Amino acid sequence: MTTPSEPGLDAIMSERRQLIGLAYRLLGSLADAEDVVQETYARWYAMSPQRREAVDSPGAWLTTVASRICLDLLTSARARRERYVGAWVPEPLPGPIEAGSADPADRVTLDESVGMAFLVVLESMTPAERVAFVLHDVFGYPFADVAGIVGRSPAACRQLASSARRRVRDARPAGAPASRRAAVVGDFKRAWEAGDIEALVALLDPGATVVADGGGLVSAVLHPLEGPEQIARYAVDLAGRVAGMAFRERTVNGQPGLVAERGGDVVAVLAFDVAGDRITRIWAVRNPEKLRRWTSGPAS
């Protein structure tokens, strides 16, 4: 085991933030991402000093190992998700995860790649598509390197990323400026607090959906709610049934969102997808295991 004074330790540990950012995008869970990074470093330090010194690029080695661990987890996650109670929504975060580097303009931006809408699209991909796309389009790794991680040819990895890119493009709405998204979410909050069904309906797209994740640990609708009227009436009814619930505007995965609190505890985090002046999708995370990083600090 190394000591803090060992040469190269700072360089090795500086990769941690990027590795967590990569693993979170691949797995949709910060807790799982941290486990992956811990296992990656354990494997690094399990090698002899001679073997570590022989590694030309420790950062590339760590990325390769972390990506392969994620690929294995994604393959097994399919079965786990089938046993999950209700819908599975990625773990919401109070702000984006930094990745430590900028990407070319023709690739997905790092802020966009941590948004809830993007993460949900990633969930629809095969494990190989997801890894190839995130490594290449988000983090800028060449297909030759991706091939060594995924275990396929560079040409096959190019096809995987291309397929994933089409999924993202097809699922991406027209979008709205950040200031407009914040205004729409703020209007939704005020209409919800006022119990104004008519105002809520006006803020929702005709094809709007709500997906809730309680994980079987707390109550949550098991199937998506569809349509402005159904969503608005459910929201008002819920606020009326849960005494003492307050809403705060917070940044959720880099986008305007809401946090529901009761007695000082965060009981739900809501992420929104906004197109134009209307909300198209709402993801409501109630699973307490996914809310551990949330506090009732200042709104951001």
Side-chain angles (χ1 to χ4, degrees):
M1 182 66 70
T2 63
T3 65
S5 61
E6 178 179 322
L9 178 62
D10 288 345
I12 292 296
M13 295 309 296
S14 69
E15 298 289 335
R16 179 178 175 81
R17 175 177 292 182
Q18 174 140 323
L19 292 173
I20 288 179
L22 169 65
Y24 173 72
R25 288 166 173 83
L26 289 176
L27 302 176
S29 165
L30 190 56
D32 288 346
E34 290 173 337
D35 288 343
V36 165
V37 174
Q38 182 175 346
E39 173 62 21
T40 300
Y41 278 107
R43 294 187 187 186
W44 171 262
Y45 287 115
M47 295 192 299
S48 67
Q50 293 76 17
R51 288 188 62 191
R52 292 200 299 269
E53 290 173 6
V55 176
D56 292 334
S57 174
W61 188 96
L62 292 167
T63 297
T64 296
V65 171
S67 299
R68 286 174 176 166
I69 295 173
C70 287
L71 186 58
D72 290 341
L73 288 174
L74 285 170
T75 302
S76 63
R78 299 262 171 183
R80 294 201 311 272
R81 301 281 164 78
E82 290 174 0
R83 298 191 297 270
Y84 196 82
V85 178
W88 189 94
V89 175
E91 178 184 347
L93 300 179
I97 293 183
E98 299 292 338
S101 63
D103 7 293
D106 63 342
R107 294 200 172 96
V108 175
T109 66
L110 292 171
D111 280 348
E112 180 185 13
S113 73
V114 81
M116 188 63 74
F118 186 88
L119 294 175
V120 169
V121 175
L122 290 181
E123 281 294 310
S124 70
M125 300 178 186
T126 67
E129 278 180 331
R130 191 165 180 169
V131 172
F133 175 68
V134 169
L135 283 172
H136 180 267
D137 281 52
V138 179
F139 287 88
Y141 281 83
F143 284 119
D145 293 347
V146 175
I149 293 170
V150 178
R152 305 194 187 187
S153 69
C157 290
R158 188 181 300 276
Q159 287 299 316
L160 288 170
S162 177
S163 174
R165 206 173 295 123
R166 284 194 299 272
R167 291 176 187 254
V168 171
R169 186 170 55 248
D170 292 344
R172 183 180 292 165
S179 59
R180 187 61 199 143
R181 290 196 299 268
V184 171
V185 171
D187 289 344
F188 185 88
K189 169 184 176 289
R190 287 183 285 276
W192 195 357
E193 290 172 330
D196 191 336
I197 291 178
E198 185 176 341
L200 288 171
V201 169
L203 289 165
L204 293 162
D205 184 83
T209 60
V210 172
V211 176
D213 179 346
L217 301 176
V218 296
S219 62
V221 290
L222 296 179
H223 303 288
L225 298 175
E226 300 180 348
E229 188 79 20
Q230 183 184 20
I231 293 170
R233 292 192 178 281
Y234 179 83
V236 171
D237 178 67
L238 177 65
R241 286 188 287 109
V242 183
M245 188 162 64
F247 303 99
R248 296 169 63 88
E249 294 180 53
R250 295 288 302 273
T251 299
V252 180
N253 288 64
Q255 301 289 341
L258 295 178
V259 168
E261 299 176 353
R262 188 183 186 193
D265 295 325
V266 173
V267 296
V269 172
L270 283 72
F272 295 79
D273 209 5
V274 178
D277 292 330
R278 301 289 183 91
I279 294 167
T280 56
R281 288 176 290 180
I282 302 173
W283 296 277
V285 179
R286 296 211 60 226
N287 184 341
E289 293 183 349
K290 297 182 179 182
L291 301 179
R292 293 173 179 170
R293 300 173 196 281
W294 288 84
T295 67
S296 54
S300 56

